[in-house]
Amino acid sequence: MSRIFQSLGTSLDDLPALWVAAPLTGLLVQPVIGHLSDRTWLGRLGRRRPYFLAGAILAAIALLLMPESPGLLMAAMLLWLLDASLNVSMEPFRAFVGDMLDKDQHAAGYAVQTAFIGAGAVFGSIFPWLLEHLGVSNQAAGGGIPDTVRYAFWFGGAALFLAVLWTVLTTREYAPEEMAAFDGAATEDHGHTLRILAARQYGTSIAWIVAGAIVVVAVAAMRLEKEVYLLGALLAGYGLASIVAIARARAGHVAGMLGHIVGDFGGMPLLMKRLAVAQFFSWSALFIMWINTTPIVAGAFYGAPDAKSPLYQEGANWVDVLFATYNGIAAVAALTLLPVLARRIGQAKTHIIGLLCGAAGFASFFVITDPKWLLASEIGIGIAWASILAMPYAILASSLPQRKLGIYMGLFNVFVVVPQLLVATVMGSITKHFFPTAPIWTLAFAAGALLLAAIAMTRVEAARVPG
């Protein structure tokens, strides 16, 4: 995506603003789709599969058109369409696993899903390289979009659509009557939601708005990255949404989608709130890694003075290998290590071990001098990545009411999105002010964040999976 944007004339400094599309669409779309998919049943298409299919069709169209964008505006609009469509398609997938499996199968089910995520990431990361070695041109006349990128997008669109279509055609979802037999009859909770919302005071809502205003003022006063404005807008927006939901509840209106989302977010179960803390710190560490690993490896291990140096390109190529390694490790660990540990010591303790492995992987960057040995660091990071993608969702699916699994999975995504926004903005400002020439210190923050996540997990009590 960055190669397409830069080929169309975007400066490097403007790329983060374009990438805001991913977290923003996830934050807005996933709770909505989760709420809707909990309440959908379209006959043979079922409950979650209509969203799989619709999202995949739109995402595939965006992927096919993206390399042909005539200008930056078109590319940016297609990116938003792509992110929104992927969220429509992928959000119900985690709830789908919870729907289809017994509680004692959740850890294994999410681990298998994680294994395929890792395998797909490895293949996707090497696909342009593979095309180049098969003779496809990696250069384009006039600085345009090379064929390797163009074909990678087209192949990705086709692969996405065919894979989702396979799932839609070869799976059968349990009907609402069957789900009720598993989880107990789903009583209508409009009245309960209305009572909870009507009993709330406006003080908390106003506090959200004030917090958003403070963030906006701080960004202007301290000249922080402009993307931080989005965080302030989101805080204030949630405050306004909660005022509307409370007012409607007090007026006796039926609790619509807004009321349910606001009510469910404020009324999250205690286990979910505690798990959200660990999720926040876990994803903070991941985004630090994704943003900073290339300049860290190129500068600290290859001695590249700047991005124009050949040493920088050499280091960046090695980072591709490192990232492919941790995704491969995640795929293997998800199928072998995680299910075994979950059966023996429980899901929560398994996740703690995974997070500590990741913290050790990040810390090892400070003692390794030969970049080849960074492959060992990626083992710990890969185990953590596998655990982050599997264990929190297994714990949630085993602990939440089945009839609200979609909305809660969507709301849980908030604690993936907010760390992304903070790291992409605040961490950049911290790096510029305190260690502009030594970005490796950001990995100390990453290691510390995973340690805090592990500590937070000690307060999460998840059911032990029977052996």
Side-chain angles (χ1 to χ4, degrees), residues 31-105:
V32 172
I33 295 301
H35 171 85
L36 293 175
S37 70
D38 282 340
R39 290 159 171 77
T40 295
W41 184 259
L42 297 180
R44 295 182 63 181
L45 270 180
R47 185 185 193 189
R48 315 289 184 187
R49 289 179 295 162
Y51 298 93
F52 300 167
L53 186 59
I57 291 172
L58 293 173
I61 291 172
L63 285 166
L64 293 174
L65 294 178
M66 186 73 71
E68 301 301 315
S69 299
L72 183 59
L73 178 61
M74 182 68 174
M77 291 175 64
L78 285 171
L79 175 62
W80 281 73
L81 173 63
L82 174 63
D83 283 317
S85 303
L86 288 175
N87 278 289
V88 169
S89 187
M90 299 305 160
E91 193 285 331
F93 258 104
R94 297 200 185 278
F96 182 68
V97 175
D99 290 342
M100 302 301 292
L101 300 178
D102 291 333
K103 294 184 185 297
D104 61 351
Q105 297 175 315

Side-chain angles (χ1 to χ4, degrees), residues 114-331:
T114 298
F116 279 93
I117 291 173
V122 171
F123 184 73
S125 65
I126 67 171
F127 191 73
W129 173 89
L130 180 64
L131 287 175
E132 184 180 8
H133 282 72
L134 290 175
V136 179
S137 175
N138 196 38
Q139 302 291 330
I145 299 169
D147 286 343
T148 52
V149 175
R150 193 184 310 274
Y151 294 164
F153 270 79
W154 293 345
F155 181 87
L160 170 66
F161 175 73
L162 292 174
V164 172
L165 184 63
W166 173 263
T167 298
V168 170
L169 294 177
T170 60
T171 57
R172 183 189 71 86
E173 295 187 70
Y174 294 114
E177 297 76 18
E178 294 173 300
M179 297 300 297
F182 299 148
D183 194 47
T187 57
E188 183 59 54
D189 61 350
H190 288 295
H192 178 67
T193 302
L194 278 174
R195 288 191 297 272
I196 292 177
L197 287 173
R200 288 190 188 177
Q201 302 300 317
Y202 289 113
T204 302
S205 303
I206 295 173
W208 283 104
I209 297 173
V210 171
I214 291 173
V215 170
V216 171
V217 172
V219 173
M222 302 173 65
R223 297 182 179 180
L224 299 176
E225 302 291 339
K226 58 183 178 294
E227 289 80 18
V228 185
Y229 280 120
L230 178 61
L231 178 61
L234 290 173
L235 295 173
Y238 176 74
L240 290 172
S242 62
I243 287 176
V244 172
I246 293 171
R248 285 178 55 83
R250 290 185 176 183
H253 295 292
V254 174
M257 182 169 61
L258 178 64
H260 279 288
I261 291 175
V262 171
D264 288 335
F265 185 76
M268 288 187 296
L270 179 61
L271 179 141
M272 185 173 173
K273 292 179 180 178
R274 291 178 174 177
L275 193 58
V277 177
Q279 189 81 335
F280 175 88
F281 287 116
S282 299
W283 284 88
S284 296
L286 292 172
F287 286 118
I288 289 173
M289 174 187 70
W290 290 329
I291 291 173
N292 296 291
T293 300
T294 296
I296 287 171
V297 171
F301 292 90
Y302 283 84
D306 53 52
K308 297 180 181 179
S309 168
L311 292 173
Y312 185 92
Q313 299 303 325
E314 187 178 350
N317 289 340
W318 186 240
V319 170
D320 289 341
V321 175
L322 295 179
F323 278 16
T325 299
Y326 87 74
N327 277 297
I329 293 294

